Amino acid sequence: MSALFPEVEKKGKAEGLTAHGYREDEVVSALQKAVRAGDEERAGFFAYELAESGKAWRLWRRLKIIAAEDVGGMLPLVFVAQAQWAARDAGGEATMIAMRAAIELARWVRKHGGDRTADDMRCVFDERFKEGWKGLPIQDVDLDGHTRRGRSMGRGDGFFWRVSSRLTKEAPDYDKRWIGELRERYKERA
C-alpha cells in the first residue's frame, strides 16, 4: 500500500498506473498541487514517480504548464525548458534533473509567491467570448510601421521611436541615451 495514498495498491505498470501503483492522472494533479503549495518533497516525489514510470513526456509537459500557469514570470518557464533539454542528454540522471525542476518550482512559489495571471486571464477571456464579447480594440498606438494599416496611415520608424516604443515604466538601470538618440534622429520623420 502507498503511504501517501493508502487506497492505492501497488499494481505495477497497468494501464493508467505508475510504476508504484498510483493513478497517473492523480500523480500529475498531485505534482501541480505540491508546487502550488510550495511543498518540495511532494513535488520531487511526484516528479520522480512520473519519470520512473516512463512518463517523462507527460512530466515535462506538465512542469512547463505549471511554470506558466502557477509560478509566473518567464524565469521559471525558461528554467524548466532548459532542465528538460539537460535531462534529454543526462541518461540515467534524467529523473534527478526532473525532480530538481519540480523542487525549484515549489521553492520559487514558497519564496516568491505564485502568479496565476495568465491562466486566470485566459479563463476570463474564454468566458467573455462565450457571452458574445468582441475582444479588446486595437488602439491608435498599435498602428505603426509594423502593421499594414499603420503604413497606410503613413506611419514609419519616426512614429515607432517617438510613440509606439515608449515604456510605461522604465527599469532603473535602463540606459536611455540610445532611445534618446533614436528619438532625436526620427523626430521629424513619419
Side-chain angles (χ1 to χ4, degrees):
M1 294 291 240
S2 166
L4 292 172
F5 298 109
E7 70 279 6
V8 177
E9 292 183 30
K10 188 171 181 173
K11 298 178 183 175
K13 284 192 167 187
E15 182 79 21
L17 296 180
T18 66
H20 298 102
Y22 292 93
R23 291 187 48 87
E24 187 179 329
D25 62 332
E26 293 176 5
V27 172
V28 171
S29 180
L31 171 65
Q32 189 152 9
K33 300 334 180 273
V35 170
R36 286 178 183 163
D39 187 331
E40 296 175 31
E41 180 181 12
R42 286 173 48 83
F45 174 77
F46 290 116
Y48 166 88
E49 188 64 18
L50 287 169
E52 290 295 303
S53 299
K55 304 295 182 183
W57 65 271
R58 190 159 187 196
L59 168 62
W60 288 110
R61 179 177 178 269
R62 180 53 46 183
L63 288 173
K64 287 182 271 189
I65 291 167
I66 292 168
E69 185 175 78
D70 298 312
V71 181
M74 286 305 294
L75 189 58
L77 185 56
V78 170
F79 165 75
V80 169
Q82 286 297 105
Q84 181 182 16
W85 178 81
R88 286 183 183 146
D89 193 38
E93 301 304 325
T95 295
M96 184 264 306
I97 294 171
M99 291 172 66
R100 170 56 59 191
I103 289 164
E104 290 300 324
L105 291 178
R107 189 173 285 167
W108 181 279
V109 170
R110 195 180 72 251
K111 287 183 177 179
H112 305 285
D115 182 341
R116 291 189 39 82
T117 302
D119 189 49
D120 296 345
M121 189 182 293
R122 179 187 61 90
C123 292
V124 167
F125 290 165
D126 286 348
E127 292 299 316
R128 286 179 182 178
F129 276 115
K130 286 178 194 173
E131 296 165 352
W133 185 54
K134 302 299 181 202
L136 296 173
I138 299 296
Q139 297 179 357
D140 185 66
V141 69
D142 303 330
L143 303 173
D144 59 20
H146 294 94
T147 68
R148 182 178 296 143
R149 208 164 19 142
R151 287 189 300 277
S152 75
M153 297 166 72
R155 293 179 174 174
D157 291 339
F159 183 83
F160 174 77
W161 291 117
R162 286 189 317 277
V163 180
S164 296
S165 68
R166 293 206 179 269
L167 298 167
T168 298
K169 182 177 181 180
E170 297 169 342
D173 57 350
Y174 176 33
D175 187 348
K176 292 182 269 191
R177 65 183 156 157
W178 307 107
I179 191 69
E181 182 175 328
L182 283 165
R183 287 183 177 144
E184 184 62 31
R185 288 176 179 272
Y186 286 92
K187 71 180 177 185
E188 303 298 326
R189 297 190 206 175

